Amino acid sequence: MIFADWKAREAIAEAMVPLVGRLYRDRNIEISVYGRLIVKRSVIDILKAHRFVRQVEGEEISVVDTFPVLEAVAEMDVTNAHIDIGKLAVKFRDESNGRTLQAFLQEELADASTEPAEAHESTDVVLYGFGRIGRLLARLMLDRAGGGHSLRLRAIVVRKGKADNDLEKRASLLRRDSVHGSFKGTIQVDEENNALIANGNYIQIIFADGPDQVDYTQYGIKNALVIDNTGIWRDEAGLSLHLKSKGVARALLTAPGKGVKNVVMGVNHGDISDDDRVLSAASCTTNAIVPVLKAVNDQFGVVNGHVETVHSYTNDQNLIDNYHKGDRRGRAAALNMVLTETGAAKAVAKALPELEGKLTGNAIRVPTPNVSMAILNLNLDKDTSKDELNNYLRDAAVHSELQKQIDYSNSPEAVSSDFVGSRAAGVVDALATIVDGNRCVLYVWYDNEFGYSCQVVRMAQHLAKCTLDAFPKGKH
């Protein structure tokens, strides 16, 4: 009986795959289940996304509940939207009040767009640099290319390498990743035209020695958003060099910026104006902690606190003991825990001015290649309890405006490698939460590569004005 039920659910999930794919390609509709995107996902991925709901709702929902919602959405004229069929299914179960599913959805999706997806022009994107973050950004944009109505990766700018097969080597690094696995798709190398063709997307590879030395218009690129992931030019003057190249409209830095707005999506993206032509997406750690700090401060108030980050080693450290200009970072990264400093605590104030001067911070680099943890030791304005604080953060992760930034885990067996590929900026480990009156300690996991890259893509979508409206609105 159990196996028969599994096979029935598997068959329904198989039927969902082509529907989800067509809605995405033809109508620019993303489908999710409680925030878990199921576009381009396997049958097992879809079933696991449904299983996850038990963590936040106390009971599992089934594809039996969501498939009718998906079918009904496919019959509507809705376009250009992010639709959570899990939340809609639960809301229909709890609040249908005798309405048919079709009538319920007509009301829930009344504000959704109906204009053709083709009416939305894509935005040209250039990756300046092609390191760890650059390659993950490429993967994300290629995975979310859809029908070509959002961000369109047009070019990658790098310095010419010494190897004769430079292009093939860069393609290989995109194909295979020791942490994040194989690229989902196909990559062809066009040596004659100096280009990569990835999942049907033609990507020009441009060799240049500086951000102001490229004429993008000769490649048909115009009004482009340049995402600088080199970390070399971090102030306004340096980043503005990109604007001197023909075809560039804006430049976005994937590191903390000096003298420019540091933006954490979900928190202070409303500060961006149309006049801002150079911006920073802050750091991975700042993105991980700021949404959680905002949520806690909004509800309980933060008097002061300390942020300790336990951070995976990065390419800035040495593989074996060697000279390094920074203290301690010259010691072998894979053999040592390395005390170092972080500017993330001070950077919090750039996104949350109300916390200026209230936080201290430090960091420990540890011998893991990816996934880090921020430990937030906070004094609050009022007393709370572990259950109250965790329930509030769980609700924030599922229903608040920070649901793309904050995720929630209550697994007693979760370890760092379980969070590789997490799309959230940070994941609250609920079982580790400590509360004593007005003092609390929160443990926040974050994929310092992939989760941060997702935040950068969200910011790029915001700048390109192609962020999809999410449904249902509000809490069910």
Side-chain angles (χ1 to χ4, degrees), residues 306-318:
H306 177 78
V307 178
E308 192 72 31
T309 63
V310 182
H311 201 293
S312 291
Y313 56 68
T314 66
N315 205 37
D316 173 64
Q317 293 170 256
N318 288 336

Side-chain angles (χ1 to χ4, degrees), residues 210-221:
D212 55 348
Q213 298 177 18
V214 184
D215 179 0
Y216 295 104
T217 60
Q218 67 176 305
Y219 304 105
I221 299 170

Side-chain angles (χ1 to χ4, degrees), residues 42 85 168 192 197 383 402:
S42 70
I85 58 174
E168 182 56 53
E192 183 178 350
I197 302 170
D383 290 359
L402 293 169

Side-chain angles (χ1 to χ4, degrees), residues 178-401:
S178 300
V179 172
H180 301 282
S182 300
F183 175 75
K184 294 179 180 178
T186 63
I187 300 173
Q188 299 169 268
V189 177
D190 184 347
E191 291 278 6
E192 183 178 350
N193 296 300
N194 227 41
L196 301 180
I197 302 170
N199 292 353
N201 294 267
Y202 187 90
I203 307 166
Q204 188 70 50
I205 305 300
I206 303 170
F207 296 113
D209 293 324
D212 55 348
Q213 298 177 18
V214 184
D215 179 0
Y216 295 104
T217 60
Q218 67 176 305
Y219 304 105
I221 299 170
K222 59 181 181 179
N223 298 321
L225 170 64
V226 174
I227 303 179
D228 187 328
N229 54 93
T230 66
I232 297 173
W233 298 275
R234 295 194 177 200
D235 59 12
E236 185 174 17
L239 288 171
S240 294
L241 292 174
H242 287 291
L243 305 179
K244 294 183 178 181
S245 289
K246 290 183 179 179
V248 176
R250 269 176 158 163
L252 172 59
L253 172 66
T254 63
K258 301 175 183 178
V260 299
K261 290 179 181 176
N262 285 251
V263 177
V264 175
M265 281 303 296
V267 177
N268 68 325
H269 59 277
D271 294 343
I272 300 173
S273 72
D274 291 339
D275 295 330
D276 291 321
R277 299 191 66 195
V278 291
L279 293 155
S280 160
S283 72
C284 58
T285 300
T286 302
N287 274 268
I289 65 177
V290 165
V292 176
L293 286 168
K294 174 175 171 52
V296 172
N297 188 56
D298 285 350
Q299 182 69 12
F300 302 98
V302 173
V303 177
N304 53 42
H306 177 78
V307 178
E308 192 72 31
T309 63
V310 182
H311 201 293
S312 291
Y313 56 68
T314 66
N315 205 37
D316 173 64
Q317 293 170 256
N318 288 336
L319 188 61
I320 58 175
D321 287 0
N322 208 345
Y323 176 82
H324 193 294
K325 65 179 182 179
D327 293 344
R328 308 186 203 237
R329 291 199 185 192
R331 304 300 299 278
L335 297 176
N336 296 289
M337 292 191 293
V338 180
L339 270 171
T340 186
E341 59 185 23
T342 176
K346 290 183 178 178
V348 166
K350 295 181 179 180
L352 280 176
E354 56 267 39
L355 294 186
E356 185 169 7
K358 293 185 177 183
L359 299 172
T360 58
N362 213 28
I364 306 167
R365 293 290 179 93
V366 293
T368 54
N370 186 41
V371 179
S372 302
M373 171 179 280
I375 304 169
L376 311 180
N377 196 326
L378 306 174
N379 294 312
L380 308 177
D381 277 332
K382 54 186 177 182
D383 290 359
T384 184
S385 66
K386 179 175 179 178
D387 286 345
E388 181 186 21
L389 182 55
N390 277 341
N391 288 337
Y392 170 72
L393 289 172
R394 180 179 61 188
D395 191 74
V398 178
H399 298 296
S400 80
E401 293 182 353

Side-chain angles (χ1 to χ4, degrees), residues 26-238:
D26 300 340
R27 290 160 56 183
N28 199 28
I29 295 177
E30 294 179 346
I31 300 295
S32 65
V33 176
Y34 272 74
R36 265 54 181 175
L37 199 67
I38 60 172
V39 176
K40 296 185 180 180
R41 299 296 182 266
S42 70
V43 168
I44 296 300
D45 289 334
I46 292 173
L47 293 171
K48 286 177 69 175
H50 285 75
R51 178 77 171 156
F52 161 77
V53 179
R54 67 186 168 40
Q55 288 193 36
V56 291
E57 289 293 351
E59 59 180 301
E60 184 178 349
I61 64 169
S62 165
V63 289
V64 174
D65 304 308
T66 59
F67 186 47
V69 177
L70 179 63
E71 287 185 304
V73 168
E75 293 299 318
M76 299 173 68
D77 294 329
V78 174
T79 60
N80 305 306
H82 180 112
I83 298 176
D84 194 314
I85 58 174
K87 291 181 181 178
L88 284 170
V90 171
K91 190 170 185 178
F92 177 67
R93 181 193 66 193
D94 295 343
E95 303 176 18
S96 61
N97 297 322
R99 289 173 291 176
T100 65
L101 176 59
Q102 287 71 20
F104 168 79
L105 290 175
Q106 286 290 348
E107 185 173 330
E108 288 295 321
L109 304 179
D111 295 332
S113 170
T114 56
E115 68 175 4
E118 293 77 13
H120 285 233
E121 286 190 16
S122 61
T123 296
D124 291 347
V125 177
V126 173
L127 291 176
Y128 195 92
F130 204 48
R132 298 295 301 158
I133 299 302
R135 292 194 295 275
L136 288 178
L137 290 173
R139 285 186 173 207
L140 282 165
M141 282 187 280
L142 291 169
D143 184 58
R144 303 287 286 275
H149 313 305
S150 183
L151 303 175
R152 186 180 174 199
L153 179 56
R154 297 294 309 280
I156 297 167
V157 183
V158 292
R159 289 182 176 178
K160 178 68 173 175
K162 295 180 180 179
D164 292 335
N165 58 341
D166 184 283
L167 206 58
E168 182 56 53
K169 282 184 172 293
R170 297 186 191 279
S172 182
L173 285 169
L174 183 59
R175 283 193 190 100
R176 305 171 183 87
D177 191 285
S178 300
V179 172
H180 301 282
S182 300
F183 175 75
K184 294 179 180 178
T186 63
I187 300 173
Q188 299 169 268
V189 177
D190 184 347
E191 291 278 6
E192 183 178 350
N193 296 300
N194 227 41
L196 301 180
I197 302 170
N199 292 353
N201 294 267
Y202 187 90
I203 307 166
Q204 188 70 50
I205 305 300
I206 303 170
F207 296 113
D209 293 324
D212 55 348
Q213 298 177 18
V214 184
D215 179 0
Y216 295 104
T217 60
Q218 67 176 305
Y219 304 105
I221 299 170
K222 59 181 181 179
N223 298 321
L225 170 64
V226 174
I227 303 179
D228 187 328
N229 54 93
T230 66
I232 297 173
W233 298 275
R234 295 194 177 200
D235 59 12
E236 185 174 17

